[in-house]
């Protein structure tokens, strides 16, 4: 019988090699699942299928995993390397597959009781044929069901490029044997748990059935909340109830997605072509976090940073290829233009107006629609920043969608809701031309079909893209820890704890996004060149600075989730020079090569620098303090850093608390000392003059931030009674003048929102008294620290401008 099966498998190999594309999940199972290849592996497949086996085996061989067709030799005992949990609809099938599997498990467990060094790894593997979840109003099961031979043949032809082999987390038989050594039914339990795992895996790959849109609309429009809003709309606008109901249906039709799986499959083809055209690769990290949540039945809310219009396309594409369901995506109504709007809607986009304050009907309908998505088990994605960041930094969170998410949890959502922060980054952003214009002050261009066509026509080499899934926040656990009374008064829409909880969760999302940042060659080269006032460095100096950056990130890491480049500085520089239209030039003179930024590209390069500014701001601050004091006691440096840190933390969403801050500063000092950039003798830190240029370039990373702080502090010292709005406005005007006089190109330097956030942090830290006036002793202490860290030239310009403004009043 085995020879017939082997011959049949051989027969299948040739056609399947053409029809079915290799799509392993994860891409590198041995590394991502931390498999120990020195110990035996046993693969568990859900049901007997020779077609599945051939595809699965090919993946194993391509991934350098143990060949499932061979047997494990364990201390002289030969045992199968794969088992089936159930019988399939096949001609060649194993009679009593489950009994055979239990017998194999028992034999492996017996060996574990005899040989203590043995640790067999049980790896569940399934072949996913197609990803259609089906529709609520149609009979039939998703395409992950057991398929007969004819169905499998058609699936191979139709779904060949959509077939995925999913490797799951290994189970240690050593652990099972140690924990349950006396349990004779352990093998049966293993089989039962594996069967449940495959059932959950099917759901996580396809998601719930797609709704009948009209039936869902009728259900929502009959809800108590929307009926009350319709009644209120009719009364407030003095219109008939029928007209108000038509308006409600129109709003719902404007909002709701209309997902089509065939459209998603077409999108996959298009996006694969697009990424290959635009990028040299997409680096995906920590997707296992999301797969684990999906398998555990969590309602997943993806909250990515927003850098480009293609963020949501990229994230959906990545999730699809990680064996997960693409989410329903909250998209701005500005993207609902012909023909893109209809296409996006079929890919899962639901559209939201920029503001619906005061429009009770729209607000009620949108909230009920979002709650319905959660109730039905669809994953959801929204951009907490509201719009794309034009500066490259994270924007202050807009909390409306997070508020609705917490309300869904509060109103008896049965499944746990987990928020997954996602860092999305690019070496070269697609909207490079439009961003460059906007950063120089041009008005934002309205989205339309012509704009899309113009962008696509300019397809070019944009380097790499990055998607890194940050640390998830399971909302119920977070609220239990920080707001233990959150379950009380759950009948209220917004209990006393609610607004503070929304702000707290939103802030934590931003922190976790920054912790998951991906550092790349463009970020580092841009940071180094912008740190030079002339935006130019000798090639040797630039490479030395890149090396210093890399060593700092590796030896005093900002976070464990951050993705770091592994290429040598020389390779990174050559890579940046190879990218299209980045504005990095190489010039030669008698003394060697100079790398510089074109003037027109300098503003855009601040965008890439700002992507990772939060990771460099503490080393930059330490460098600035040592550089300007020349020699300073470590305790005094820590005191200065501690005074400034709360404002950096609020502005850049840093994650260190005060205790962690001291530890991190200690690591930074050790690393600067190891690099011989500074001298450290007992409690005294001093500059190493032979490497002072490296220290200067490091200190430039915080230069403009400290200048902004000094502007506001100086104005507040001059007029402690100044109103908050006037303080914001005057700070902005002084910063604009300073940027012109001293050639400061960073667009966020005179951003009113940045000053507003700083002033709010000043209030929180006690720099205003109870009457709302500036607290002069606090301000004087802070000002004296800043004065040491700012050049005399800049300081004189700021004070002179403030005094001139006071005279004009």
């Amino acid at each position: 019988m085995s020879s017939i099966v082997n011959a049949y498998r051989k027969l299948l190999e040739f056609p399947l090699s053409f029809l079915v594309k290799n799509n392993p999940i994860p891409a590198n199972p041995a590394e991502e699942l931390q498999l120990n290849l020195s110990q035996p592996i046993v693969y568990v497949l859900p049901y007997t299928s020779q077609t599945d086996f051939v595809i699965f085996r090919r993946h194993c061989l391509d991934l350098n995993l143990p060949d499932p067709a061979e047997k494990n030799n364990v201390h002289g005992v030969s045992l199968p390397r794969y088992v089936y949990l159930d019988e399939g609809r096949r001609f060649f099938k194993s009679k009593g597959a489950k009994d055979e599997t239990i017998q194999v498990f028992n034999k492996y467990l017996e060996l574990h009781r005899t040989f203590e060094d043995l640790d067999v790894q049980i790896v569940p593997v399934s072949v996913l044929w197609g990803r259609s979840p089906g529709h609520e109003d149609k009979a039939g099961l998703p395409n992950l069901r057991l398929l007969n031979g004819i169905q499998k043949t058609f699936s191979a032809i139709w779904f060949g490029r959509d077939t995925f082999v999913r490797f799951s987390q290994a189970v240690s038989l050593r652990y099972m044997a140690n924990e349950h050594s006396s349990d004779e039914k352990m093998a049966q339990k293993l089989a039962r748990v594996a069967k449940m795992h495959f059932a959950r895996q099917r759901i996580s790959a396809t998601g719930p059935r797609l709704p009948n849109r009209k039936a869902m609309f009728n259900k929502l429009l009959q809800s108590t909340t929307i009926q009350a809003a319709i009644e209120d709309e009719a009364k407030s606008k003095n219109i008939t109830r029928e007209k108000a109901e038509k308006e409600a249906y129109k709003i719902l039709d404007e909002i709701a997605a209309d997902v089509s799986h065939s459209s998603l499959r077409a999108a996959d083809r298009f996006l694969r072509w697009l990424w290959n055209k635009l990028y040299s690769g997409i680096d995906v990290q920590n997707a296992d976090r999301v797969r684990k949540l999906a398998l555990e039945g969590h309602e997943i809310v993806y909250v990515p940073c927003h850098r480009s219009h293609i963020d949501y396309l990229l994230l959906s594409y990545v999730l699809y290829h990680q064996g997960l369901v693409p989410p329903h995506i909250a998209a701005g109504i500005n993207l609902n233009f012909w023909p893109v709007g209809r296409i996006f809607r079929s890919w899962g986009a639901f559209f939201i107006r920029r503001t619906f304050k005061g429009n009770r009907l729209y607000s009620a309908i949108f909230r009920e629609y979002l709650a319905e998505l959660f109730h039905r088990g669809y994953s959801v994605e929204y951009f907490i920043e509201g719009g794309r960041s034009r500066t490259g930094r994270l924007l202050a969170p807009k909390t409306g969608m997070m508020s609705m998410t917490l309300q869904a949890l509060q109103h008896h959502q049965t499944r746990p809701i987990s928020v997954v922060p996602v860092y999305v980054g690019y070496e070269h952003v697609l909207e490079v031309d439009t961003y460059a214009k906007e950063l120089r002050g041009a008005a934002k261009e309205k989205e339309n079909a012509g704009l899309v066509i113009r962008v696509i026509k300019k397809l070019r080499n944009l380097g790499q893209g990055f998607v890194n899934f940050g640390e998830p926040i399971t909302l119920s656990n977070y609220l239990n820890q920080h707001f233990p009374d959150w379950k009380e008064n759950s009948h209220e829409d917004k209990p006393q704890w609610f607004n503070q909880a929304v702000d707290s969760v939103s802030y934590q999302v931003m922190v976790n996004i920054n912790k998951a940042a991906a550092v790349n060659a463009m970020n580092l080269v841009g940071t180094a060149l912008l740190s030079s006032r002339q935006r130019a460095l000798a090639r040797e100096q630039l490479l030395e600075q890149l090396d210093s950056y890399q060593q700092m990130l590796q030896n005093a890491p900002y976070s464990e989730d951050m993705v770091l480049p592994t290429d040598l500085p020389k390779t990174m520089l050559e890579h940046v020079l190879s990218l299209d239209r980045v504005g990095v030039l190489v010039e030669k003179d008698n003394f060697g090569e100079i790398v510089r930024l074109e003037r027109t590209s300098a503003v855009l390069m601040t965008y890439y620098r700002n992507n990772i500014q939060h990771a460099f701001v503490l080393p930059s601050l330490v460098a600035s303090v040592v550089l300007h004091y020349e020699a300073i006691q470590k305790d005094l440096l820590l005191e200065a850093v501690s005074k400034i840190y709360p404002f950096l933390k609020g502005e850049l969403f840093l994650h260190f608390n005060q205790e962690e801050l001291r530890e991190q500063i200690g690591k930074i000092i050790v690393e600067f000392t190891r690099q011989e950039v500074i001298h450290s003798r007992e409690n005294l830190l001093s500059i190493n003059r032979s490497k002072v240029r490296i220290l200067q370039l490091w200190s430039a990373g915080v230069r403009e931030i400290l200048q902004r702080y000094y502007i506001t502090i100086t104005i507040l010292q001059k007029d402690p009674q100044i109103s908050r709005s006037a303080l914001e406005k005057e700070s902005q005007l002084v910063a604009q003048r300073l940027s012109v006089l001293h050639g400061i190109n960073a667009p966020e330097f005179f951003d009113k929102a940045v000053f507003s956030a700083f002033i709010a942090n000043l209030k929180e830290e006690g720099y205003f008294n109870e009457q709302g006036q500036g607290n002069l002793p606090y301000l004087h202490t802070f000002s004296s620290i800043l004065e040491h860290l700012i050049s005399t030239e800049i300081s004189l310009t700021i004070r002179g401008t403030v005094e001139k403004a006071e005279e004009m009043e």
Side-chain angles (χ1 to χ4, degrees), residues 756-775:
S756 177
F758 175 58
I759 293 165
N761 285 333
L762 282 172
K763 184 178 180 181
E764 192 175 319
E765 293 297 318
Y767 285 80
F768 292 92
N769 59 29
E770 293 178 359
Q771 290 73 40
Q773 299 174 352
N775 188 328

Side-chain angles (χ1 to χ4, degrees), residues 371-481:
E372 184 68 10
L373 293 182
F374 287 137
H375 175 71
R376 290 169 180 258
Y378 300 116
S379 57
V380 172
E381 173 189 341
Y382 52 76
F383 296 96
I384 199 167
E385 297 168 275
R388 290 170 294 159
S389 170
R390 298 315 201 273
T391 65
R393 287 177 165 199
L394 289 182
L395 305 177
K398 306 286 193 302
T399 57
M401 291 293 288
M402 185 60 72
S403 174
M404 294 183 218
T405 305
L406 283 181
Q407 282 182 325
L409 175 71
Q410 183 190 359
H411 294 157
H412 310 296
Q413 166 71 17
T414 53
R415 301 171 72 207
I417 299 178
S418 285
V419 176
V420 179
V422 188
Y423 179 89
V424 181
Y426 310 91
E427 284 190 311
H428 209 21
V429 74
L430 181 65
E431 298 92 332
V432 56
D433 295 327
T434 56
Y435 278 6
K437 292 174 186 174
E438 289 170 19
L439 288 169
R440 295 188 201 106
K444 179 181 178 290
E445 189 171 354
K446 185 178 179 181
E447 284 79 7
N448 54 61
L451 177 61
V452 174
I453 292 168
R454 289 202 306 276
V455 169
I456 291 177
K457 282 174 68 177
K458 294 180 179 178
L459 297 180
R460 51 189 175 269
N461 175 26
L462 299 179
Q464 270 199 305
F466 302 87
V467 177
N468 190 9
F469 296 92
E471 183 181 352
I473 303 166
T474 300
L475 291 180
S476 55
N477 294 346
Y478 186 90
L479 294 177
N480 287 338
Q481 182 179 353

Side-chain angles (χ1 to χ4, degrees), residues 98-115:
K98 183 178 177 182
D99 293 337
E100 290 180 4
T101 297
I102 291 171
Q103 289 173 15
V104 171
F105 281 165
N106 272 323
K107 288 177 182 177
Y108 275 113
L109 285 167
E110 286 173 11
L111 288 169
H112 278 76
R113 296 184 185 108
T114 306
F115 302 102

Side-chain angles (χ1 to χ4, degrees), residues 301-329:
V301 179
Y302 299 97
V303 185
C305 59
H306 202 6
R307 302 282 159 78
S308 169
H309 273 319
I310 64 171
D311 292 343
Y312 27 80
L313 302 179
L314 179 58
L315 183 54
S316 291
Y317 177 85
V318 164
L319 290 170
Y320 187 83
H321 283 268
Q322 292 297 324
L324 295 160
V325 188
H328 280 59
I329 308 159

Side-chain angles (χ1 to χ4, degrees), residues 72-79 111 115:
N72 284 324
N73 192 308
V74 183
H75 293 282
V77 180
S78 181
L79 290 172
L111 288 169
F115 302 102

Side-chain angles (χ1 to χ4, degrees), residues 487-538:
K487 290 183 180 178
E488 297 179 11
N489 303 320
S490 60
H491 60 282
E492 298 178 21
D493 267 352
K494 291 186 178 180
Q496 190 174 0
W497 57 268
F498 188 82
N499 288 337
Q500 188 182 351
V502 169
D503 290 341
S504 179
V505 174
S506 299
Y507 181 83
Q508 191 60 48
V509 167
M510 309 307 279
V511 168
N512 288 7
I513 288 174
N514 264 348
K515 285 171 70 176
V519 182
N520 59 60
M522 181 73 91
N523 300 145
L524 295 178
V525 170
T527 298
L529 292 176
L530 289 170
S531 295
S532 167
R533 291 187 186 277
Q534 294 76 31
R535 297 181 295 276
L537 289 169

Side-chain angles (χ1 to χ4, degrees), residues 463-618:
Q464 270 199 305
F466 302 87
V467 177
N468 190 9
F469 296 92
E471 183 181 352
I473 303 166
T474 300
L475 291 180
S476 55
N477 294 346
Y478 186 90
L479 294 177
N480 287 338
Q481 182 179 353
H482 298 279
F483 302 91
D485 300 330
W486 72 276
K487 290 183 180 178
E488 297 179 11
N489 303 320
S490 60
H491 60 282
E492 298 178 21
D493 267 352
K494 291 186 178 180
Q496 190 174 0
W497 57 268
F498 188 82
N499 288 337
Q500 188 182 351
V502 169
D503 290 341
S504 179
V505 174
S506 299
Y507 181 83
Q508 191 60 48
V509 167
M510 309 307 279
V511 168
N512 288 7
I513 288 174
N514 264 348
K515 285 171 70 176
V519 182
N520 59 60
M522 181 73 91
N523 300 145
L524 295 178
V525 170
T527 298
L529 292 176
L530 289 170
S531 295
S532 167
R533 291 187 186 277
Q534 294 76 31
R535 297 181 295 276
L537 289 169
R539 176 186 277 267
E540 295 79 9
Q541 181 68 63
L542 175 56
L543 295 177
E544 189 177 21
Q545 193 65 26
L546 293 177
D547 184 57
S548 180
Y549 289 159
Q550 272 191 293
Q551 291 184 56
M552 179 63 73
L553 290 169
Q554 289 165 0
N555 298 326
Y558 176 79
S559 80
E560 295 300 319
D561 284 346
M562 186 168 275
V563 179
L564 304 179
T566 55
D567 289 337
L568 294 172
K570 182 180 178 181
T571 306
M572 286 195 289
L573 177 57
E574 293 304 323
H575 173 66
V576 170
L577 293 172
S578 72
L579 298 179
D580 291 335
R581 301 173 69 179
V582 297
V584 179
L585 304 176
V586 177
E587 297 175 350
K588 292 185 179 180
D589 61 13
N590 292 336
F591 303 99
E593 292 184 342
I594 296 173
V595 184
R596 71 173 181 87
L597 273 175
E598 284 183 310
R599 176 173 286 277
T600 54
S601 300
V603 174
L604 182 63
M605 193 59 82
T606 65
Y607 180 93
Y608 300 115
R609 177 199 65 186
N610 289 350
N611 288 174
I612 60 164
Q613 189 176 30
H614 63 282
F616 282 174
V617 73
L618 284 179

